Amino acid sequence: MSNEEVQSEAFSAESYFATQPPPASLEEDVARAREFIQKQISQGRKVVLVTSGGTTVPLELNVVRFLDNFSAGTRGATSAEYFLKAGYSVIFMHRQFSLQPFSRHYSHSTHPFLDFLDVDDSEEPAQIDVKAAEHTQLIEVLSQYKRVQKAGTLHTLTFVTVNDYLWLLRAVSQELVPLGRLAMFYLAAAVSDFFLPRQKMSEHKIQSGKGSLHIEMDQVPKILKPLVNEWTREGYIVSFKLETDETLLVPKARKALARYGHQVVIGNDLHRRKFEVVFVSPKGGRPVLDENGEAEPDPSQFAESWVHIDPATNPTREIEEDIVAELVRRHRVWTGES
Ligand code: 9Z3
């Protein structure tokens, strides 16, 4: 395909997958995920796919430079733990090296593990101890981790680029189809809006010395559309909307619901995301958009509910506990339970 043809391409999901190559590990990753899903189905479990962390956009084929999306992976990793506690099996699809369930409590930047160990080297062999102040939390985290390992209810998948993410999301969502309404999608990963198609990328490191760098990027296809309408028709789909202007949160969440027809958008402001989020969902059937899809949908078609926690009165409380509890309740209604 020539560059001109690529440039004129609108990049629907279909044209994206027809022109951008799959990651090398896709088949193997999907086979492992399939095996995991089949086991969960045979045990009658609900499965949630949690996406977490930011995707990158490489600028070169031999990649030296890339654009990144903001996300430490806290939302996804923390939520995955609460889903596991609620009895869900979890496919944790995350950005390589971003936070993961359980080990997140001992992240190298906030709570490095060397700092909670003591060593007594006055005798041979030297003894290692966990500091007394760390016991309670470590026992709790480790016990849950071991329980989950024994039950085999956590499966991890890794992405780096937005291309890895899109291919994996499509493949795994198709594998989740047999679960029908028992599957939930919790799309907390921070996904690039723009990318550089492979056909436009320079093979080698872009050279400096020629003045400023101009790159024209294409829009990443809106993946929620085929996810909702083609890849999974029955799964319960929760997407996140990140804004830095709080006044945009609810209107943009409403628009996304009207455009894609999924179940919930959780809006979060970048600076307040750890103690405040808003659930936006359609009140009745699928909300209606105007013909060209540009105008604001009628607000009376949507319900909003805010979740707040107060870090001053309870500094250890995590908002993900409340988010997951609410989603578990809503998912029960979706599956026809109480
Ligand atoms: C989020 O909004 C997540 O809650 C955060 C979590 C990325 C803010 P951290 O990992 O941060 O705890 O540091 N994720 C979704 C962001 C996103 O890309 N949403 C798309 C959009 O807004 C729609 S799927 O267009």
Side-chain angles (χ1 to χ4, degrees), residues 67-233:
L67 292 186
D68 207 347
N69 251 61
F70 164 86
S71 168
T74 316
R75 176 79 84 223
T78 310
S79 306
E81 280 181 30
Y82 287 108
F83 276 118
L84 287 161
K85 268 194 197 159
Y88 278 72
S89 298
V90 174
I91 299 179
F92 186 67
M93 186 177 133
H94 75 113
R95 161 77 176 277
Q96 187 184 37
F97 308 133
S98 66
L99 293 178
Q100 293 197 45
F102 308 112
S103 66
R104 73 177 173 102
H105 298 278
Y106 301 99
S107 122
H108 63 278
S109 52
T110 56
H111 195 183
F113 87 96
L114 290 179
D115 287 355
F116 66 83
L117 298 177
D118 266 336
V119 62
D120 176 3
D121 55 6
S122 59
E123 283 173 41
E124 272 294 322
Q127 299 295 311
I128 291 177
D129 270 326
V130 173
K131 286 181 185 162
E134 300 283 351
H135 274 204
T136 313
Q137 192 199 24
L138 184 60
I139 289 171
E140 200 184 309
V141 173
L142 201 55
S143 311
Q144 282 174 34
Y145 175 63
K146 295 286 172 195
R147 255 198 304 274
V148 165
Q149 265 192 332
K150 195 165 168 222
T153 47
L154 174 62
H155 182 76
T156 300
L157 289 167
T158 306
F159 61 81
V160 177
T161 66
V162 67
N163 189 55
D164 299 342
Y165 170 89
L166 294 173
W167 277 97
L168 260 182
L169 180 64
R170 181 172 81 154
V172 174
S173 63
Q174 288 166 343
E175 294 300 329
L176 285 166
V177 166
L179 274 149
R181 292 199 163 216
L182 294 184
M184 192 198 292
F185 294 77
Y186 184 85
L187 306 175
V191 184
S192 323
D193 283 320
F194 302 100
F195 80 113
L196 203 53
R198 203 176 165 81
Q199 295 78 352
K200 287 188 188 174
M201 277 160 86
S202 120
E203 185 183 350
H204 292 291
K205 184 184 161 205
I206 299 168
Q207 294 299 313
S208 60
K210 291 183 191 155
S212 52
L213 173 66
H214 296 269
I215 300 173
E216 192 189 356
M217 301 184 111
D218 289 53
Q219 216 180 331
V220 170
K222 297 292 180 195
I223 218 64
L224 270 167
K225 201 172 171 198
L227 179 69
V228 176
N229 297 311
E230 294 166 39
W231 306 339
T232 168
R233 294 235 170 88

Side-chain angles (χ1 to χ4, degrees), residues 267-304:
N268 50 183
D269 172 80
L270 180 67
H271 305 292
R272 303 172 64 78
R273 71 191 189 285
K274 289 192 194 269
F275 48 94
E276 184 178 275
V277 299
V278 59
F279 279 61
V280 185
S281 46
K283 256 189 195 154
R286 182 166 177 167
V288 184
L289 261 186
D290 68 315
E291 250 166 42
N292 62 20
E294 288 313 316
E296 296 289 329
D298 176 0
S300 69
Q301 303 178 96
F302 303 89
E304 287 140 43

